[in-house]
Amino acid sequence: MELQQSPALNLGPAASVAAAASRIVETSIPSRLDALPWSGFHTRVVLALGITWILDGLEVTLAGALSGALKQSPLLQFSNLDLGIANSAYLAGAVLGALGFGWLTDRIGRKKLFFITLAVYLSATAATALSWNIASYALFRFLTGAGIGGEYTAINSTIQELVPARYRGWTDLVINGSFWIGAAMGAVAAIVLLDPAFIGPDLGWRLAYLIGATIGLVVLFMRMWIPESPRWLMIHGRPDQAHAIVDEIESSVVGHRREDREGFAKIRLKMRDHTPLGEVWHTLFSAYRQRAVVGLVLMSAQAFFYNAIFFTFALVLTDFYGISADHVGWYLLPFAAGNFLGPLLLGRLFDTLGRRTMIMFTYGASGLLLALSGYLFSIGALSAQGQTIAWMVIFFFASPAASAAYLTVSETFPLEVRALAIAVFYAVGTGIGGVIGPALFGALIDTGSRTSVFAGYLLGSVLMIAAAIVAWRYAVSAERKPLEQIARPLAFME
């Protein structure tokens, strides 16, 4: 084991020196993890983490596709503004959940938070099915969002810390993009559950939430496949456990435990129990101020762009194109396909062409295409099918752009503050762009004016193009580099 200790003497200063030395560890764990080839272990990690986003996509898509049924419900009779408020409540919960659970993730570890946040998410989703008015529906959506916000921080931290550097960008984008597999499943479920010939809209939307929560129980078992982050364990005073996990991973990947640790680069770390919030604040907004600005801009732009359009997807189809609520799911399928194929096909370019090039390209293309399609929408040149094709093309680029925002904030800050960094920028970005977006677009759609909705699209377009420019100028070229090289741990010792 690579732990350096000095014998402690019960003699004042000498004892203090010995105690300090016992907290210093020299380790090759980061380089050992980055040296691994892709294996069944990494595939299991992708599956276990990706299934969560599949369920999130299922649940969020149902919320969007069910909007027509919620308006038609004899009990609820929601207005477009009510739906916008409920969607904003979901995002507000995600903001607060990300902050609270992000802080806990850096304190108690990634693995424990997996189960806590998942329990909150599943319980709240099931409770949503029992909603009796707008207040109860918005409350349960708020709690569901809180669980998902916590998931974002724990999952993105784990991706960064377990996946080898040369695969990190593509893996992160594909896992986050798997949301849209769930979205397609949600679209099909909405078609069946809202069909009057089968169940009908008033009971169908309740069954949709209950089924989603029930399926989510499978994730609890899949999470057992994922170990705690060895990088996190090493810094938090548990080097024996960290080495045992890496030994086990190496055995499963290369068929044996690597004994020649001398061949790997080592770093010296001073172990700590936690990182004070004052040090977190200084790290994020003083030592890494430029990276913080980039993260904030990317998060805010994609949050407004995505949430404003996605949460009002069904409303545009029903109010402007006359599509019935039980047929919205058919239009969501190609939209979901574009969103998943984007990260899948473009993801590897983030590891080859590089982060700055691809972030600029995907953000810029998304913004320009939205402005063009928004203009065509405003003059009535698009049919429902044409509008759907336009959204499919736009989000082929916007999906990897949005995932790249999470990739950026999760790999460009030190390990000790990684989860909270994700939480802070997700919270601020979503608070600025995401919470405002759905309510704003709900109000714009309520006017019945295509020109008003086009103005909202133009705002989203400008934000994405501005983010593309900022990323090209200031983003970090983090592709294929070890995390410890991109952002040295706060516990690093010379």
Side-chain angles (χ1 to χ4, degrees):
M1 204 224 353
E2 303 163 56
L3 183 65
Q4 296 182 340
Q5 290 191 333
S6 299
L9 302 176
N10 296 320
L11 300 171
S16 299
V17 170
S22 71
R23 300 290 292 171
I24 298 175
V25 61
E26 186 177 70
T27 181
S28 59
I29 279 179
S31 58
R32 289 168 66 191
L33 288 172
D34 282 338
L36 291 171
W38 189 268
S39 67
F41 166 77
H42 300 106
T43 300
R44 289 192 296 274
V45 169
V46 170
L47 290 174
L49 297 180
I51 194 69
T52 298
W53 291 149
I54 290 175
L55 289 170
D56 182 29
L58 171 66
E59 195 272 337
V60 172
T61 302
L62 284 174
L66 298 175
S67 58
L70 292 168
K71 290 165 64 177
Q72 296 168 10
S73 168
L75 176 63
L76 300 180
Q77 297 181 340
F78 286 170
S79 67
N80 286 342
L81 180 58
D82 289 334
L83 292 169
I85 290 171
N87 289 332
S88 291
Y90 171 88
L91 293 167
V95 166
L96 296 178
L99 290 172
F101 289 126
W103 177 76
L104 280 175
T105 299
D106 282 330
R107 284 257 177 166
I108 68 174
R110 284 56 168 139
K111 189 174 178 68
K112 289 180 181 177
L113 261 293
F114 280 155
F115 295 98
I116 295 173
T117 55
L118 186 60
V120 171
Y121 165 60
L122 294 179
S123 300
T125 299
T128 305
L130 307 177
S131 303
W132 57 92
N133 58 20
I134 180 60
S136 61
Y137 183 79
L139 172 63
F140 295 140
R141 295 297 294 154
F142 174 88
L143 294 174
T144 303
I148 284 297
E151 290 277 282
Y152 275 109
T153 61
I155 287 178
N156 280 284
S157 299
T158 300
I159 296 170
Q160 305 304 316
E161 293 163 20
L162 286 179
V163 174
R166 60 193 180 281
Y167 306 117
R168 195 171 58 235
W170 180 79
T171 303
D172 191 284
L173 265 64
V174 168
I175 289 177
N176 281 287
S178 64
F179 173 99
W180 296 100
I181 298 176
M185 294 167 60
V188 174
I191 292 169
V192 175
L193 292 170
L194 298 182
D195 189 336
F198 289 92
I199 298 173
D202 200 34
L203 180 60
W205 71 265
R206 295 182 187 275
L207 287 177
Y209 282 120
L210 283 174
I211 292 170
T214 303
I215 294 174
L217 293 174
V218 176
V219 183
L220 288 172
F221 297 99
M222 297 187 71
R223 289 284 169 89
M224 304 299 284
W225 296 349
I226 304 176
E228 180 57 88
S229 164
R231 284 174 157 108
W232 183 88
L233 288 169
M234 182 61 65
I235 284 181
H236 287 79
R238 292 150 69 181
D240 289 339
Q241 187 177 346
H243 282 293
I245 289 173
V246 175
D247 288 343
E248 185 177 349
I249 294 172
E250 287 179 336
S251 295
S252 69
V253 173
V254 300
H256 60 86
R257 171 179 155 184
R258 285 174 169 164
E259 301 293 343
D260 58 334
R261 296 180 187 170
E262 298 302 320
F264 295 99
K266 296 181 180 180
I267 58 173
R268 297 177 74 239
L269 304 169
K270 185 174 183 180
M271 295 182 289
R272 54 172 65 190
D273 297 320
H274 68 281
T275 302
L277 286 177
E279 188 175 4
V280 172
W281 181 265
H282 173 78
T283 301
L284 295 182
F285 300 108
S286 180
Y288 290 89
R289 185 183 300 113
Q290 181 172 300
R291 297 183 184 189
V293 171
V294 172
L296 177 61
V297 170
L298 294 181
M299 280 290 195
S300 300
Q302 68 84 23
F304 182 91
F305 186 92
Y306 244 99
N307 293 310
I309 296 172
F310 182 58
F311 276 113
T312 56
F313 177 94
L315 297 180
V316 170
L317 290 175
T318 55
D319 287 23
F320 289 99
Y321 293 106
I323 304 300
S324 62
D326 57 315
H327 282 78
V328 166
W330 293 116
Y331 292 86
L332 198 52
L333 287 175
F335 181 80
N339 273 279
F340 178 65
L341 290 174
L344 183 66
L345 299 179
L346 300 180
R348 292 199 183 278
L349 298 178
F350 283 77
D351 288 323
T352 54
L353 293 181
R355 305 288 198 258
R356 290 173 59 247
T357 298
M358 289 305 298
I359 292 173
M360 181 199 67
F361 172 67
T362 53
Y363 269 80
S366 303
L368 292 172
L369 289 170
L370 179 63
L372 175 61
S373 70
Y375 171 72
L376 295 175
F377 166 80
S378 70
I379 63 174
L382 295 175
S383 63
Q385 293 77 14
Q387 180 69 71
T388 303
I389 292 171
W391 276 330
M392 180 180 178
V393 175
I394 291 168
F395 284 90
F396 177 85
F397 299 102
S399 183
S403 295
Y406 292 99
L407 173 65
T408 298
V409 299
S410 59
E411 69 180 355
T412 56
F413 293 95
L415 183 145
E416 295 89 337
V417 301
R418 177 165 294 123
L420 193 52
I422 298 168
V424 167
F425 295 112
Y426 169 79
V428 176
T430 302
I432 293 173
V435 174
I436 296 172
L440 172 62
F441 268 72
L444 292 176
I445 292 169
D446 266 343
T447 66
S449 167
R450 288 176 177 260
T451 302
S452 296
V453 177
F454 176 43
Y457 287 150
L458 277 181
L459 176 57
S461 174
V462 169
L463 290 175
M464 292 295 280
I465 293 171
I469 296 171
V470 169
W472 176 250
R473 178 65 179 84
Y474 298 110
V476 176
S477 298
E479 59 275 3
R480 306 176 72 86
K481 295 178 182 176
L483 292 173
E484 291 72 19
Q485 180 180 332
I486 300 167
R488 200 164 68 175
L490 301 180
F492 182 84
M493 300 286 292
E494 295 289 353

